Amino acid sequence: RKTLVAGLMTGLARLRNVRRPDRNSDVLRDLDGIGLVIGRNDKLHERTPGHERMQNNPLIKMENMGLGNFGILSTIPNLAEELMLRLEPHYGSTHREREEYKAEAASFVAFRTLEAYASPREMAKALLAPSAAERFGMAYDIMARHREELYEWTKTLSDDLADCGEECGDLW
Protein backbone atom coordinates (compact mmCIF):
# COMPACT_ATOMS: atom_id res chain seq x y z
CA ARG A 1 0.00 0.00 0.00
CA LYS A 2 2.87 2.37 0.76
CA THR A 3 4.39 1.81 -2.68
CA LEU A 4 1.07 2.46 -4.39
CA VAL A 5 0.52 5.66 -2.41
CA ALA A 6 4.04 6.91 -3.20
CA GLY A 7 3.48 6.18 -6.90
CA LEU A 8 0.08 7.88 -6.87
CA MET A 9 1.49 11.00 -5.25
CA THR A 10 4.27 11.13 -7.83
CA GLY A 11 1.82 10.50 -10.66
CA LEU A 12 -0.48 13.27 -9.48
CA ALA A 13 2.49 15.63 -9.30
CA ARG A 14 3.44 14.69 -12.87
CA LEU A 15 -0.13 15.26 -14.00
CA ARG A 16 -0.17 18.67 -12.31
CA ASN A 17 3.12 19.59 -14.04
CA VAL A 18 1.53 18.95 -17.41
CA ARG A 19 -1.30 21.35 -16.60
CA ARG A 20 -0.90 25.05 -17.29
CA PRO A 21 0.48 27.17 -14.44
CA ASP A 22 -2.94 28.85 -14.23
CA ARG A 23 -4.74 26.37 -11.97
CA ASN A 24 -8.14 27.56 -13.19
CA SER A 25 -7.34 26.55 -16.75
CA ASP A 26 -8.99 23.52 -18.30
CA VAL A 27 -6.31 22.92 -20.90
CA LEU A 28 -2.98 21.13 -20.89
CA ARG A 29 0.36 22.26 -22.29
CA ASP A 30 2.39 19.99 -24.51
CA LEU A 31 5.69 20.16 -22.61
CA ASP A 32 7.47 17.31 -24.34
CA GLY A 33 6.28 17.76 -27.94
CA ILE A 34 4.42 14.45 -27.97
CA GLY A 35 1.34 16.30 -29.28
CA LEU A 36 3.17 16.93 -32.55
CA VAL A 37 3.98 13.25 -32.92
CA ILE A 38 0.43 12.05 -32.33
CA GLY A 39 -1.12 14.81 -34.43
CA ARG A 40 -2.52 17.14 -31.79
CA ASN A 41 -2.21 20.91 -31.89
CA ASP A 42 1.31 21.76 -30.72
CA LYS A 43 0.15 24.54 -28.41
CA LEU A 44 -2.74 23.17 -26.40
CA HIS A 45 -4.80 20.04 -26.16
CA GLU A 46 -7.90 19.25 -24.19
CA ARG A 47 -8.21 18.47 -20.56
CA THR A 48 -7.04 15.08 -19.37
CA PRO A 49 -9.85 12.52 -19.51
CA GLY A 50 -10.95 11.49 -16.04
CA HIS A 51 -9.52 14.59 -14.34
CA GLU A 52 -12.76 15.16 -12.41
CA ARG A 53 -12.73 11.49 -11.41
CA MET A 54 -9.23 11.95 -9.99
CA GLN A 55 -10.07 15.10 -8.05
CA ASN A 56 -13.29 13.64 -6.65
CA ASN A 57 -11.67 10.41 -5.49
CA PRO A 58 -12.30 10.11 -1.72
CA LEU A 59 -8.77 8.78 -1.17
CA ILE A 60 -7.24 12.10 -2.23
CA LYS A 61 -9.07 13.82 0.61
CA MET A 62 -7.68 11.39 3.20
CA GLU A 63 -4.42 11.86 5.05
CA ASN A 64 -1.68 10.21 2.94
CA MET A 65 -4.41 8.67 0.74
CA GLY A 66 -5.72 6.60 3.62
CA LEU A 67 -2.42 5.52 5.15
CA GLY A 68 -2.49 8.22 7.81
CA ASN A 69 0.62 9.25 9.69
CA PHE A 70 0.85 6.56 12.35
CA GLY A 71 2.27 3.69 10.33
CA ILE A 72 3.67 5.37 7.26
CA LEU A 73 7.32 5.28 8.33
CA SER A 74 7.42 1.98 10.18
CA THR A 75 6.04 -1.55 10.14
CA ILE A 76 3.38 -3.11 12.33
CA PRO A 77 5.84 -5.46 14.13
CA ASN A 78 8.19 -2.57 14.97
CA LEU A 79 5.33 -0.41 16.20
CA ALA A 80 3.96 -3.32 18.25
CA GLU A 81 7.36 -3.77 19.94
CA GLU A 82 7.39 -0.05 20.78
CA LEU A 83 3.86 -0.28 22.17
CA MET A 84 4.78 -3.24 24.36
CA LEU A 85 7.78 -1.32 25.73
CA ARG A 86 5.56 1.61 26.62
CA LEU A 87 2.94 -0.63 28.22
CA GLU A 88 5.47 -2.64 30.24
CA PRO A 89 5.13 -0.56 33.44
CA HIS A 90 1.35 -0.94 33.35
CA TYR A 91 1.13 -4.73 33.03
CA GLY A 92 2.55 -7.43 35.26
CA SER A 93 5.08 -9.95 34.00
CA THR A 94 2.52 -12.79 33.98
CA HIS A 95 0.26 -10.78 31.66
CA ARG A 96 3.14 -9.80 29.36
CA GLU A 97 4.41 -13.39 29.14
CA ARG A 98 1.12 -14.73 27.80
CA GLU A 99 1.25 -16.13 24.29
CA GLU A 100 -1.47 -13.74 23.08
CA TYR A 101 0.13 -10.54 24.40
CA LYS A 102 2.24 -9.83 21.29
CA ALA A 103 -0.66 -10.64 18.97
CA GLU A 104 -2.99 -8.36 20.95
CA ALA A 105 -0.54 -5.47 20.77
CA ALA A 106 0.13 -6.02 17.06
CA SER A 107 -3.58 -6.25 16.23
CA PHE A 108 -4.29 -2.94 17.97
CA VAL A 109 -1.35 -1.36 16.14
CA ALA A 110 -2.69 -2.72 12.84
CA PHE A 111 -5.96 -0.91 13.44
CA ARG A 112 -4.16 2.23 14.54
CA THR A 113 -2.45 2.27 11.13
CA LEU A 114 -5.89 2.00 9.50
CA GLU A 115 -7.57 4.82 11.39
CA ALA A 116 -7.29 7.26 8.46
CA TYR A 117 -9.02 4.81 6.10
CA ALA A 118 -11.32 2.56 8.12
CA SER A 119 -14.82 3.74 8.97
CA PRO A 120 -15.71 4.59 12.59
CA ARG A 121 -17.97 1.54 12.59
CA GLU A 122 -15.07 -0.73 11.56
CA MET A 123 -12.85 0.80 14.24
CA ALA A 124 -15.51 0.26 16.91
CA LYS A 125 -16.07 -3.33 15.78
CA ALA A 126 -12.32 -3.97 16.05
CA LEU A 127 -12.18 -2.60 19.59
CA LEU A 128 -15.01 -4.93 20.58
CA ALA A 129 -13.49 -8.01 18.93
CA PRO A 130 -12.87 -10.71 21.55
CA SER A 131 -9.65 -12.04 20.03
CA ALA A 132 -6.52 -10.77 18.34
CA ALA A 133 -7.02 -13.28 15.52
CA GLU A 134 -10.45 -11.84 14.73
CA ARG A 135 -9.04 -8.30 14.88
CA PHE A 136 -6.20 -9.28 12.51
CA GLY A 137 -8.73 -10.79 10.10
CA MET A 138 -10.73 -7.57 10.06
CA ALA A 139 -7.55 -5.52 9.60
CA TYR A 140 -6.48 -7.72 6.69
CA ASP A 141 -9.86 -7.32 4.98
CA ILE A 142 -9.71 -3.54 5.32
CA MET A 143 -6.09 -3.38 4.11
CA ALA A 144 -6.97 -5.57 1.11
CA ARG A 145 -9.93 -3.32 0.25
CA HIS A 146 -7.72 -0.23 0.56
CA ARG A 147 -5.05 -1.79 -1.63
CA GLU A 148 -7.62 -2.67 -4.28
CA GLU A 149 -8.95 0.91 -4.32
CA LEU A 150 -5.41 2.25 -4.64
CA TYR A 151 -4.66 -0.22 -7.43
CA GLU A 152 -7.79 0.79 -9.35
CA TRP A 153 -6.77 4.41 -8.98
CA THR A 154 -3.30 3.64 -10.37
CA LYS A 155 -4.93 2.27 -13.53
CA THR A 156 -6.91 5.49 -13.97
CA LEU A 157 -3.91 7.67 -13.30
CA SER A 158 -1.73 5.60 -15.66
CA ASP A 159 -4.27 6.11 -18.44
CA ASP A 160 -4.46 9.85 -17.74
CA LEU A 161 -0.68 10.20 -17.76
CA ALA A 162 -0.39 8.18 -20.97
CA ASP A 163 -2.96 10.48 -22.59
CA CYS A 164 -0.66 13.39 -21.72
CA GLY A 165 2.38 11.65 -23.19
CA GLU A 166 3.91 10.80 -19.82
CA GLU A 167 5.47 7.45 -19.13
CA CYS A 168 4.51 6.01 -15.79
CA GLY A 169 6.00 2.52 -15.65
CA ASP A 170 8.38 3.60 -12.91
CA LEU A 171 5.60 4.66 -10.53
CA TRP A 172 4.34 1.24 -9.50
Side-chain angles (χ1 to χ4, degrees):
R1 293 181 315 137
K2 290 178 186 179
T3 303
L4 289 173
V5 167
L8 284 166
M9 288 182 172
T10 304
L12 287 171
R14 285 184 185 177
L15 193 61
R16 273 188 229 110
N17 285 339
V18 175
R19 297 190 66 74
R20 291 185 107 184
D22 176 12
R23 292 179 188 230
N24 297 324
S25 175
D26 286 345
V27 293
L28 298 171
R29 286 190 305 167
D30 187 3
L31 295 175
D32 57 5
I34 196 78
L36 295 172
V37 175
I38 61 174
R40 289 188 178 165
N41 184 333
D42 64 331
K43 292 182 182 173
L44 300 173
H45 53 281
E46 292 186 11
R47 181 179 216 162
T48 304
H51 179 72
E52 293 85 12
R53 192 174 55 240
M54 298 298 290
Q55 295 304 320
N56 293 329
N57 191 313
L59 290 174
I60 204 167
K61 296 174 180 126
M62 293 180 182
E63 189 175 25
N64 288 324
M65 296 184 189
L67 285 180
N69 284 328
F70 183 73
I72 194 124
L73 299 176
S74 191
T75 64
I76 291 173
N78 291 345
L79 291 170
E81 287 294 325
E82 181 65 27
L83 175 64
M84 289 185 294
L85 286 173
R86 291 179 185 245
L87 292 177
E88 190 172 334
H90 305 286
Y91 290 104
S93 61
T94 55
H95 183 80
R96 289 191 320 263
E97 290 170 1
R98 292 179 311 127
E99 187 175 328
E100 301 124 8
Y101 182 65
K102 286 183 179 182
E104 289 170 353
S107 69
F108 280 111
V109 166
F111 262 92
R112 181 77 201 280
T113 65
L114 291 168
E115 68 187 359
Y117 177 76
S119 71
R121 179 183 211 119
E122 290 170 322
M123 296 298 285
K125 189 175 175 183
L127 288 173
L128 296 173
S131 72
E134 188 176 334
R135 216 172 1 265
F136 268 129
M138 291 187 298
Y140 176 80
D141 291 341
I142 294 168
M143 286 179 183
R145 186 181 74 225
H146 185 218
R147 186 191 178 287
E148 186 61 32
E149 285 181 36
L150 290 168
Y151 183 71
E152 289 301 318
W153 197 15
T154 62
K155 290 181 193 175
T156 303
L157 184 58
S158 293
D159 292 343
D160 290 347
L161 285 167
D163 287 345
C164 296
E166 287 283 325
E167 293 183 19
C168 53
D170 60 334
L171 297 180
W172 25 78

